[in-house]
Amino acid sequence: MEKGLEDRLKEKLVSSQEIFQGRIIKVQVDTVELPDGKTAKREVVKHPGAVVILPLTNEGEVVMVRQYRHATGEILLELPAGKRDGAEEPLECARRELEEETGYTAEQWQVICSFYTSPGFCDELLYLILAKGLVKGEARPDEGEFIDVVTIPLAEAARMVLSGEIKDGKTCLGILAGSALNDHE
């Protein structure tokens, strides 16, 4: 890291007040000291972190899920994903979520990358995990979770991302990363 960069950019936490505690997230308002000595307020959504899985079949298809997302008011096409339970390891979470949501298990697993979903206000860290050697089974979605499982050729899914048909950010990143990796194999 460039010398002095932290002194020029990093904010120091002065105080923190939790204003909401939900089932999945917490919201807090932090007071921070800016590098110039002034103070500012930051609203922060605290999230336990999650995984997003890129399940690829031997035929080059992506296993995806369709589900209604209340916040958007739309049925979205997404990669399987889910929240980590406490200190659950990302690969353990990915195995559990893939099987629950799609019924598939995988013989090969690889962490591709990790990324923050919206670092301007949220600390959620997602792990993008590639799953290959898929074996089809029976889905066991969580109570209250209604999912339609579909398979789409990877190239078609990439086209759908670029045309705006696929709008979910984690899915867009996963599909485009999968396409880039596929081009280099």
Side-chain angles (χ1 to χ4, degrees), residues 2-171:
E2 179 185 320
K3 185 178 180 182
L5 188 61
E6 209 167 288
D7 291 335
R8 292 196 331 261
L9 300 177
K10 190 168 182 182
E11 300 173 353
K12 296 177 185 132
L13 181 65
V14 175
S15 65
S16 184
Q17 177 187 7
E18 187 177 288
I19 60 171
F20 174 77
Q21 164 108 30
R23 192 175 54 82
I24 297 173
I25 64 166
K26 295 179 191 174
V27 180
Q28 64 191 44
V29 177
D30 292 347
T31 301
V32 296
E33 181 183 320
L34 304 173
D36 66 2
K38 295 178 183 173
T39 60
K41 299 281 187 190
R42 301 286 187 243
E43 296 170 351
V44 180
V45 175
K46 303 296 279 182
H47 187 282
V51 299
V52 56
I53 305 113
L54 177 62
L56 291 178
T57 68
N58 292 337
E59 295 75 36
E61 294 184 319
V62 184
V63 178
M64 301 184 72
V65 297
R66 277 195 195 103
Q67 59 185 339
Y68 178 76
R69 294 297 195 175
H70 177 75
T72 66
E74 295 183 40
I75 295 171
L76 297 180
L77 185 59
E78 303 177 34
L79 290 173
K83 156 180 102 52
R84 292 170 63 193
D85 291 335
E88 182 180 38
E89 290 297 318
L91 283 174
E92 181 181 332
C93 180
R95 286 182 181 97
R96 176 178 52 77
E97 287 292 340
L98 180 64
E99 188 170 6
E100 282 177 8
E101 291 190 0
T102 69
Y104 283 87
T105 57
E107 295 172 357
Q108 301 163 19
W109 296 89
Q110 177 190 348
V111 176
I112 297 174
C113 65
S114 61
F115 59 97
Y116 289 105
T117 56
S118 295
F121 67 89
C122 184
D123 71 349
E124 179 184 23
L125 181 67
L126 252 72
Y127 289 84
L128 173 59
I129 300 175
L130 176 64
K132 287 183 162 183
L134 301 181
V135 177
K136 191 171 184 169
E138 187 150 339
R140 297 181 326 275
D142 291 334
E143 185 177 332
E145 193 172 43
F146 301 92
I147 296 174
D148 184 33
V149 179
V150 297
T151 56
I152 298 174
L154 180 59
E156 174 66 10
R159 184 203 63 74
M160 292 171 78
V161 167
L162 298 175
S163 72
E165 293 170 74
I166 295 176
K167 300 177 187 178
D168 173 60
K170 68 186 180 308
T171 299

Side-chain angles (χ1 to χ4, degrees), residues 174-185:
I175 296 294
L176 296 178
S179 292
L181 290 171
N182 201 41
D183 288 346
H184 290 94
E185 286 183 352

